[in-house]
Amino acid sequence: MTRAEERLAEKGLSITQPRVAILNYLMEHHTHPIVETIYNDLKPELPGMSLTTVYNTVKLFNKVGLIQMLTIDEHQICVDENTCPHGHLLCEKCGKVVDVPIQGMSKKKIIDGNLIHEIHQYYKGICKDCLNSSK
């Protein structure tokens, strides 16, 4: 059993070819892709898979906690397979989304008596790659 199949089984999900392919893709590509990118990249491997299947699979993965759906960009939703608490930076120069570590974050936290299940911290600025290329 592959790691993707194990993760699907741990969440009680049926192991299907599209689900395995999408999860494998997300485990290999830590680029915070949008659904259309996932679909276009997997289309040669799974020509019968529809864009709707990818959208529905991503929504299901988010619901069971396999991924995060990021709304850092008001025009599109990015997908992140890393569900450990961390922040994200949207580079205003190149447009990529990069992970930003945040100290003291945990999956579940009590804040002012409220149980927090998710924390989304978004930053907008210039990524280190763009900063280094302009020097």
Side-chain angles (χ1 to χ4, degrees), residues 5 9 15 18 26 34 39 41-42 50 59 76 78 81 98 100-101 103 106-107 115-116:
E5 291 170 338
I15 298 170
L26 294 171
I34 61 172
Y39 170 73
D41 288 353
L42 290 177
S50 70
K59 288 197 304 194
Q76 54 199 3
C78 300
E81 184 266 338
V98 296
V100 178
Q103 294 180 353
S106 60
K107 277 221 183 230
L115 176 61
I116 308 301

Side-chain angles (χ1 to χ4, degrees), residues 45-85:
E45 179 184 333
L46 297 170
M49 183 176 65
S50 70
L51 182 58
T52 301
T53 297
V54 179
Y55 269 109
N56 290 338
T57 302
V58 165
K59 288 197 304 194
L60 175 64
F61 286 178
N62 185 64
K63 182 179 178 182
V64 300
L66 278 173
I67 59 137
Q68 297 183 65
M69 294 175 72
L70 311 175
T71 56
I72 190 169
D73 177 351
E74 60 273 1
H75 303 292
Q76 54 199 3
I77 296 172
C78 300
V79 181
D80 189 358
E81 184 266 338
N82 180 358
T83 59
C84 294

